[in-house]
Amino acid sequence: AAAAGTLRMEYRSARRLCHLAEGFILGAADHFGETVGIAQDECMHRGDARCVFALTFAPRVAGVEAGVDAGAAGAAGALALA
């Protein structure tokens, strides 16, 4: 079970494109003015049957609208990649 405030996302594919999925997550967060931390608890590239991402979202930066200057807001936040 995921910790409170954490979204658990599972990914499974014969093509093992978990890095692409991670890029989609980061791009969506940036577009919507969110800062997301990503931990990858399981990964097919490490021999696991699936990839499991634990996503945590930081509070929004005051004055930043979704999709407007989100890159600067994302750059100011912490990003944890595992």
Side-chain angles (χ1 to χ4, degrees):
T6 299
L7 172 67
R8 178 184 158 106
M9 185 180 117
E10 296 183 14
Y11 169 82
R12 188 174 307 157
S13 168
R15 297 179 73 190
R16 301 178 350 166
L17 297 173
C18 53
H19 292 81
L20 180 62
E22 187 173 320
F24 287 151
I25 294 165
L26 293 171
D30 184 57
H31 176 77
F32 289 104
E34 301 286 344
T35 301
V36 63
I38 302 175
Q40 197 168 355
D41 300 329
E42 298 176 37
C43 182
M44 292 179 284
H45 292 280
R46 296 191 306 248
D48 295 310
R50 64 188 176 192
C51 295
V52 177
F53 298 97
L55 310 175
T56 54
F57 295 88
R60 285 187 174 202
V61 176
V64 176
E65 295 180 32
V68 178
D69 199 23
L79 177 64
L81 299 176

